Amino acid sequence: MLRGIRKASSNWLGKIIMAVVMGVLIISFGVWGIADIFKGFGQSTLAKIGHTEISTDQFRQIYTDRLQQIGRQFGRPLTMDQARAFGLDRQVLQQTIAEAALDEQARRLGLGQSDAETMRMIVNDPNFKGVGGAFDPVRFQATIRQFGFTEQRYVADQRRVGLRRQIAGTISTGLEPPKVLIEALSRFQNEQRSMEYVKLDAAQAGTIDPPSPETLASYFDDRKTQFRAPEYRKISFVAITPEDIGKWSEVSDEDARKTFEQRRDRLGTPEQRQVSQIVFPNAEEAMSARNRIASGVSFEDLAKERGLNPSDVDLGLIAKSAIIDPAVANAAFSLPSGEVSQPVQGRFGVALVKIGKIETGVEATYESVAASLKKEIATERARTKVAELRDKMEDERGGGASVVEAAHKLGLAAVTIDSVDRSGRLPNGQLVANIPRGLDVVSQAFNSDVGVDNDPIQFNGGYVWYDVLGITPSRERSLDEVKDQVEARWRDDQIASRLRTKATEMVQKIEQGGKLAEEAAAVGSKVETASGFRRDASLPGVPASAIAAAFRTAKDGAGQTAGGSSEWIVFRVTDVSEPPVDLASDEMKKLKETLERGLTDEQIAQYVTKLETDIGTTINQAAFAQVTGANN
C-alpha cells in the first residue's frame, strides 16, 4: 500500500489528490490550535525555534496524548513501534514546531487581537455551552481547570490561536483551484465502469495432497520467523474513571431541583442583547469619548476613528452569562436599547458599552432539563470521587503496595492478564477482552519492566495504574508446536499458487479471443457482473482489489487479481463512461471547497517551512528518540 501511495503521489495530479484526501495535518494543528504546550521552559530542551523552547516533558505529554487519542479511535492501543512505523513521532514533532513558528512570527510582525474578538472565540466554543445552548461560565471554569489552565492563561492561549489564524488567512487569501483541475478531478472521481468476472476458489484449485514430512519441515525452516512466539507479559491494572463511578440515575429529584433553582436563569433561553463595546486604556479617554457621543458623535464613528473594525466592537446578540467581564455584563444588561453606558472599569480596560436590540428570554421548566441536570451532577460527583480515590491509590502505591494490593484495600476491581503480546493478543491469538476500549495499557507495559513503579495513565477523565508482573521472552517455536498452523499456511500457499496459474491461463485465452463464459464453464465456475461502479465503490461480494484492477484496465481488456487468501478474480471490463461535468452542481461545489482547503493547507505548509528555516530550528535528537521509544 505504501508503494502505491508513493507511486500515486509522484505526478502532479496524484500530489493534489493526496493533499486533498490526507490534508496537511501538521499545519492544521498549528493554525487551529491544540493545548498550550509552550508554558515555561524546561531544563531539558527537546526542540527550539527562535526564542521558543519545547521541553522534553512537554513533548512527552503531547505525544502520549496523541497516541491515546488514536488508540481510542481505533479501539485498540497503538504501540511506540507502530507509531514510529507510521511516522507519527515525526508528525507530532513537526506539529509542535509549526505552532512555535507561527507564534514566533506573530510576535515579529507585532500582530494583535482585540479582547472582544478573543472573548467571542471563547463564548462561541461549543465545549463551553450549557444545557440551554448558551455559554456557561461554570462549565468554562471546570473545563479549563481539567486541562491545567487558569482563566488568564487560557485567554492568552486563545489569543495566540487567533493570531495564527490571522497569519493563515492572510497568506491563503485569493487561492482558488483552476477550472481544469476541478474538471480533471471530477472525471477521475465520477468515471464509471462495468465488468464481468469469475471467482476462482479452493474448488478450482483441485485436490491438495498433504505435504510430506520433509516438505513441511523445509517450508517451516524457510519461514521460522513467521511462526516465532512473541514476547508475552503478565500485567495487572486498575481503572478509576468518572464513567465507572457515576450513575446519573442515583441523583435524587431533590438534589436536581436545588441545582435547577440555582441555575434557573441560565437553563432557559436567557435574555439576549446586541452589545457593542469600545475599550480604552484609561478612564480619562473613555470619559472624553462618552462626552463626544453625548454631543452627537456616533458610537460607530468613534470606533472608526480608533481604527477598530466592526468585529472588534460588536459582541453580537449575546446573553449576560456569555460576557466574560462581569462589569461589562452588568452594564450591558442594565441599559435600555439604544443607550451608551458611562465608562465601565472592566478586566481589560475601561469600556463604553452600547445596546442594540433586546430579545426577552424564556424560562425553563424543571421537567425539561431534569435528565441533563442529573447526568451533570453525577458526573461532577464522580470527578470528585475519582480525585479522592486517586489520592488514596497514590498513598498506597507510595507505601509499597502493588496495584492489586492497593485496589483490594480500596475496594476496587483489578484486572490481571497472565500473557499478552505487544498487539494485545493472548497466546491463542485472540484479542484481550477485558481492557477498556482505547486504553493503551499494553503498550505502556511493554515500555516498562518488572518492579517499576509506573506513573498512572490518564484515561477518560480518570486514571489507570498498572504493574508488569512477569516477562516471557520471544523465542523460536519448534515445528511440533505449530505443525497445524504451518500445514494450514502451506496449503493456502499451494491453493493460491494454483489459482494464480489458472487465472493467468484464462486471461491469456481471453486476450486471444476466447470468451469469459466459456472459460468459466471449463473450470466449473460462473460469470457474475457489476455495472456502473466508481473507484470508491463498495460492492457486495466484490473485493476492493478487483474494483481497483478494473480501473487500471482498458475497455474490453481482461485482468486478474487476488481476492483473498484462497480466492482469485478473473475479469473483463465491458464498459467505461464519464458523466458530464456540471460545475454548478452541489457535488462540484463541495469538490471545489475541498480543493481550496487542500491548496490552503499546502500554502501554509510552505510558509511555515520557510519560517522554520529563516528563524532557525534545532532538535535534540537524543531526547526525541528517548520520548518516542527509539532507544528501547
Side-chain angles (χ1 to χ4, degrees):
M1 182 178 74
L2 292 176
R3 187 182 299 111
I5 290 175
R6 285 193 291 268
K7 182 177 180 182
S9 62
S10 62
N11 55 68
W12 70 272
L13 182 60
K15 288 179 179 177
I16 292 295
I17 293 170
M18 292 298 292
V20 169
V21 175
M22 300 181 70
V24 187
L25 298 178
I26 295 166
I27 305 306
S28 295
F29 280 96
V31 173
W32 308 122
I34 57 176
D36 178 12
I37 60 172
F38 303 117
K39 49 181 186 294
F41 302 117
Q43 295 179 349
S44 177
T45 301
L46 187 139
K48 183 176 181 180
I49 176 165
H51 297 293
T52 301
E53 294 184 357
I54 306 168
S55 76
T56 302
D57 288 340
Q58 291 163 357
F59 183 76
R60 179 181 287 108
Q61 184 63 56
I62 296 167
Y63 190 59
T64 301
D65 289 346
R66 183 62 178 145
L67 296 193
Q68 289 179 351
Q69 290 169 10
I70 295 173
R72 285 192 290 271
Q73 290 171 0
F74 286 94
R76 59 181 300 177
L78 190 70
T79 66
M80 290 284 194
D81 290 340
Q82 290 171 329
R84 290 196 305 277
F86 293 141
L88 290 174
D89 53 346
R90 287 285 168 183
Q91 178 182 315
V92 176
L93 176 63
Q94 290 169 8
Q95 287 171 199
T96 60
I97 291 176
E99 282 192 331
L102 290 169
D103 291 344
E104 192 84 358
Q105 182 67 353
R107 285 191 288 271
R108 292 183 173 207
L109 295 175
L111 297 182
Q113 178 170 281
S114 71
D115 298 325
E117 181 59 26
T118 302
M119 287 188 288
R120 186 196 304 278
M121 289 173 55
I122 294 173
V123 299
N124 288 334
D125 190 329
N127 293 304
F128 306 141
K129 303 279 186 191
V131 177
F135 176 79
D136 186 343
V138 176
R139 184 184 295 271
F140 167 71
Q141 293 290 346
T143 302
I144 65 174
R145 279 200 306 271
Q146 183 179 355
F147 291 96
F149 284 96
T150 62
E151 180 179 315
Q152 183 179 7
R153 191 159 63 82
Y154 185 79
V155 170
D157 175 78
Q158 291 306 294
R159 183 173 282 110
R160 284 198 297 273
V161 172
L163 296 180
R164 295 173 200 157
R165 290 177 179 172
Q166 285 186 40
I167 296 174
T170 300
I171 64 177
S172 61
T173 299
L175 283 178
E176 186 171 340
K179 179 181 176 182
V180 65
L181 176 59
I182 297 174
E183 292 177 342
L185 283 176
S186 174
R187 286 192 294 269
F188 180 85
Q189 290 184 353
N190 296 318
E191 179 184 341
Q192 296 181 358
R193 299 204 170 198
S194 300
M195 69 176 178
E196 55 181 7
Y197 63 94
V198 173
K199 291 182 179 180
L200 306 178
D201 55 26
Q204 281 74 45
T207 302
I208 307 292
D209 294 327
S212 66
E214 294 77 17
T215 298
L216 196 62
S218 176
Y219 181 86
F220 173 70
D221 287 340
D222 292 340
R223 297 165 178 81
K224 278 187 176 181
T225 57
Q226 297 179 18
F227 300 97
R228 184 180 179 87
E231 177 183 322
Y232 288 101
R233 296 202 169 194
K234 181 177 182 180
I235 65 174
S236 62
F237 69 90
V238 61
I240 302 175
T241 67
E243 183 179 357
D244 296 328
I245 295 173
K247 290 181 173 55
W248 73 271
S249 59
E250 295 177 356
V251 177
S252 67
D253 279 317
E254 181 182 359
D255 289 344
R257 282 188 180 277
K258 288 180 181 178
T259 302
F260 173 74
E261 293 301 330
Q262 293 169 358
R263 303 185 188 177
R264 180 189 289 271
D265 59 336
R266 299 199 304 267
L267 292 176
T269 301
E271 177 184 329
Q272 292 185 311
R273 296 186 170 208
Q274 191 77 35
V275 180
S276 301
Q277 72 167 5
I278 301 175
V279 180
F280 299 85
N282 53 62
E284 289 74 17
E285 289 190 34
M287 195 65 225
S288 174
R290 181 65 179 82
N291 292 334
R292 292 184 62 199
I293 291 174
S295 64
V297 177
S298 72
F299 193 87
E300 291 72 23
D301 288 341
L302 188 64
K304 290 178 182 178
E305 287 181 11
R306 300 185 67 83
L308 299 174
N309 297 320
S311 61
D312 297 324
V313 174
D314 186 11
L315 299 184
L317 191 64
I318 192 169
K320 183 176 182 180
S321 61
I323 301 176
I324 294 179
D325 194 321
V328 172
N330 291 333
F333 278 77
S334 63
L335 294 171
S337 176
E339 286 293 317
V340 176
S341 72
Q342 293 296 322
V344 178
Q345 180 62 58
R347 293 183 180 180
F348 305 104
V350 182
L352 292 183
V353 180
K354 179 183 177 182
I355 304 305
K357 69 176 180 178
I358 299 175
E359 291 186 358
T360 56
V362 178
E363 188 173 347
T365 63
Y366 171 73
E367 290 73 17
S368 67
V369 297
S372 298
L373 282 177
K374 288 182 178 181
K375 187 173 182 179
E376 186 177 339
I377 293 169
T379 300
E380 187 59 36
R381 289 177 179 176
R383 288 197 186 101
T384 302
K385 186 65 174 177
V386 165
E388 293 175 358
L389 288 173
R390 176 200 61 203
D391 293 342
K392 292 179 180 179
M393 190 74 182
E394 287 293 288
D395 289 342
E396 294 297 326
R397 296 285 283 155
S402 67
V403 163
V404 172
E405 292 168 344
H408 179 72
K409 185 171 181 179
L410 297 177
L412 302 171
V415 176
T416 298
I417 304 170
D418 289 329
S419 292
V420 61
D421 66 14
R422 286 181 180 271
S423 66
R425 294 183 182 274
L426 302 170
N428 63 7
Q430 299 296 313
L431 285 171
V432 177
N434 51 354
I435 297 178
R437 182 180 177 87
L439 175 60
D440 65 345
V441 66
V442 172
S443 62
Q444 296 283 353
F446 271 84
N447 289 324
S448 183
D449 208 338
V450 175
V452 173
D453 186 6
N454 304 293
D455 291 332
I457 304 168
Q458 294 188 23
F459 175 69
N460 282 358
Y463 303 88
V464 177
W465 288 263
Y466 65 97
D467 279 337
V468 179
L469 305 178
I471 299 176
T472 303
S474 174
R475 64 176 180 84
E476 285 189 356
R477 291 182 172 125
S478 67
L479 177 57
D480 289 340
E481 290 181 87
V482 290
K483 185 176 180 181
D484 290 344
Q485 297 177 36
V486 176
E487 188 166 347
R489 184 84 60 85
W490 175 88
R491 187 175 185 278
D492 288 343
D493 286 355
Q494 295 299 306
I495 292 174
S497 178
R498 290 192 184 187
L499 294 181
R500 187 186 301 110
T501 300
K502 192 174 291 292
T504 300
E505 294 172 354
M506 291 176 67
V507 170
Q508 290 173 349
K509 290 179 181 179
I510 294 170
E511 290 174 341
Q512 294 170 5
K515 303 295 184 182
L516 182 60
E518 295 173 358
E519 297 302 321
V523 297
S525 188
K526 63 178 182 179
V527 176
E528 300 179 67
T529 60
S531 302
F533 56 86
R534 304 198 316 181
R535 297 174 191 272
D536 58 354
S538 178
L539 305 178
V542 181
S545 59
I547 294 174
F551 277 89
R552 295 194 298 266
T553 306
K555 185 177 181 296
D556 297 322
Q560 58 168 302
T561 183
S565 59
S566 299
E567 184 181 71
W568 214 263
I569 307 292
V570 177
F571 66 89
R572 186 179 73 87
V573 177
T574 57
D575 185 59
V576 176
S577 63
E578 292 183 358
V581 178
D582 180 8
L583 294 177
S585 68
D586 290 340
E587 184 179 9
M588 288 301 97
K589 290 177 182 177
K590 290 179 180 178
L591 176 60
K592 182 179 178 181
E593 291 173 359
T594 302
L595 280 172
E596 287 176 348
R597 286 195 297 270
L599 292 173
T600 296
D601 285 344
E602 187 170 349
Q603 183 91 338
I604 296 171
Q606 293 175 4
Y607 179 80
V608 171
T609 299
K610 183 70 163 55
L611 277 182
E612 293 172 5
T613 301
D614 292 345
I615 296 175
T617 304
T618 57
I619 299 172
N620 183 339
Q621 294 292 348
F624 176 70
Q626 187 269 329
V627 170
T628 58
N631 288 337
N632 295 339

